[in-house]
Amino acid sequence: MPHAAVAAVPRAALLTISAPLRDSLAAAPYEPPAGSSASVKSLLAALLPSPSPPPPQAQAPAGKEAGDLLLFCAAVLAASPEYPALHWVPAGLAGAAAAAVKEMAAAGGWGSVGEMVVAVAPEVVPLLKAVVKDSCVDADSDEIGAVKPPKEHAAVAAHQFRWLVSQVSYPKLGDLCWLVIPCALTTLDHWSPEVKVQGMVSFVHIAKNVKVTELSLYEDAILDACCQNIPADDELWYQVIEVSVLLLTYTQRSNPRSPWYDRMLSEMLGHLERQPLNKERRVAWLTLIGPVFDAMGLFLLAHFRRLFSLFFQWIHTDDDKTVLLTLKQIHAIIKLTWIRKSPYTLRLVDELVLLYKESATRSNREVMRDHILEILVLLQKCKGQQFEEAWKKHELDPDLTMLLSTFNELLYKK
């Protein structure tokens, strides 16, 4: 059986494995981020084992060198051109790091990189959490004027953490919830978008690879963190909605009465109401919100005023994607709620008819009109007399001859 600690990797093996990493790192071009004196390259270099053994009095705890080497590889393998802290990492170094983690796992007697990460995580994850936490802005801190680590250190730690989490899947990840969830929450609490987004990506992976019962101890803290991040920067909005929808529906799916549904949807709608013309935000939300609507069902009625206020704005934007996504969600809500006791039927019919006329100049005209007809047929089925009253005033409109003809054909087929 392999040892469940990084000390299982002999130092001689670590030196052999790290040699090509050291050479590739030394050759990599690097400039510190603008306005920062912190060198991420130097930070990574310090994680490589020294070729010369340290004197006895300076020796680190057993296994620290192996843990540091794994963190070096985690940082390099988490690198991407879109992430400022690690965008400079060359492909050659990433390839060498991918080979190195496999060699480390073999040298330590683990069957895979994932098994090695499970064994090593209790030793390295607390270190990463501490780095992120130490660079947070803490209004309650008693240490006035305390020197905090550079933001880049927290960014690297968050990338390392995300990579480590991504190496462990179901069912093993569930055994590490006690360790990885507090660290992921710490990244969500950070002020830097680059740190936050790594926590969000980590939570998406966690939710997909653990049982809901394994999240039960942490669900309130997780969902509260999601709510706190909904007002995040534009660059994070898609990830915020993605992780919030996933975690909300996963942890509360069997309970549409859960107050978390109301709170989360209210937070999202409030933010969209403040920026209704922000295309990126509304498109992301309309794309991702469906599972929340499905889970809430009739409980969506309490949010109709705010939902339809936004929908009526969005179906008349000059952005075809927004219009199509809005029509899709209107159709879904009608099916889920049968828009019971809703005062919005009359106006919805008028707005759809207006959109039908406006769509004449749209490139996606036919697709839009198909959606409009589907909604009108559904409204007629569920609202009956109320729909007929709204529909009468449009029956003699000469601009709607085609709509009326197609609508009647569809209604007859139904």
Side-chain angles (χ1 to χ4, degrees), residues 6-21:
V6 284
V9 185
R11 190 170 195 276
L14 294 177
L15 294 177
T16 301
I17 294 168
S18 64
L21 300 174

Side-chain angles (χ1 to χ4, degrees), residues 128-299:
L128 301 178
K129 180 187 174 187
V131 171
V132 174
K133 186 175 182 179
D134 287 348
S135 65
C136 284
V137 176
D138 184 1
D140 298 324
S141 175
D142 294 327
E143 301 179 47
I144 305 300
V147 177
K148 296 183 179 294
K151 175 192 72 173
E152 290 75 19
H153 289 201
V156 171
H159 283 284
Q160 291 167 322
F161 171 71
R162 189 260 302 164
W163 183 86
L164 291 171
V165 169
S166 72
Q167 301 309 298
V168 187
S169 56
Y170 180 86
K172 295 293 185 181
L173 190 55
D175 296 333
L176 294 177
C177 282
W178 64 273
L179 182 68
V180 298
I181 289 178
C183 187
L185 286 170
T186 302
T187 62
L188 290 188
D189 284 342
H190 202 272
W191 56 270
S192 166
E194 187 175 3
V195 175
K196 281 181 181 290
V197 74
Q198 300 308 310
M200 293 174 193
V201 175
S202 299
F203 264 125
V204 169
H205 180 79
I206 290 168
K208 292 178 178 179
N209 286 277
V210 303
K211 297 176 183 176
V212 67
T213 52
E214 292 168 327
L215 289 178
S216 59
L217 290 176
Y218 313 95
E219 64 182 44
D220 285 349
I222 293 170
L223 295 176
D224 182 67
C226 289
C227 285
Q228 296 297 328
N229 278 280
I230 285 172
D233 296 341
D234 285 356
E235 64 189 288
L236 292 181
W237 177 255
Y238 187 96
Q239 287 84 1
V240 169
I241 300 304
E242 179 184 29
V243 72
S244 298
V245 168
L246 178 62
L247 289 166
L248 176 62
T249 54
Y250 187 51
T251 60
Q252 312 296 310
R253 57 186 170 187
S254 60
N255 180 20
R257 291 180 172 82
S258 167
W260 282 112
Y261 280 115
D262 279 336
R263 179 180 170 188
M264 193 83 73
L265 186 55
S266 292
E267 290 279 357
M268 293 176 181
L269 292 174
H271 204 67
L272 290 165
E273 287 165 346
R274 288 189 287 274
Q275 300 187 54
L277 303 181
N278 188 312
K279 177 182 173 182
E280 288 72 23
R281 288 183 181 259
R282 70 188 183 223
V283 166
W285 186 79
L286 287 165
T287 301
L288 297 167
I289 197 61
V292 172
F293 289 171
D294 291 340
M296 291 183 70
L298 284 173
F299 290 89

Side-chain angles (χ1 to χ4, degrees), residues 40 44 74-76 78-81 83-89 155-156 159-160 194:
V40 174
L44 295 188
V76 170
S80 170
Y83 298 136
L86 295 166
H87 73 277
W88 56 273
V89 172
V156 171
H159 283 284
Q160 291 167 322
E194 187 175 3

Side-chain angles (χ1 to χ4, degrees), residues 47-67:
L47 293 173
L48 294 171
S50 172
S52 304
Q57 65 272 21
Q59 283 187 350
K64 185 179 185 304
E65 286 185 323

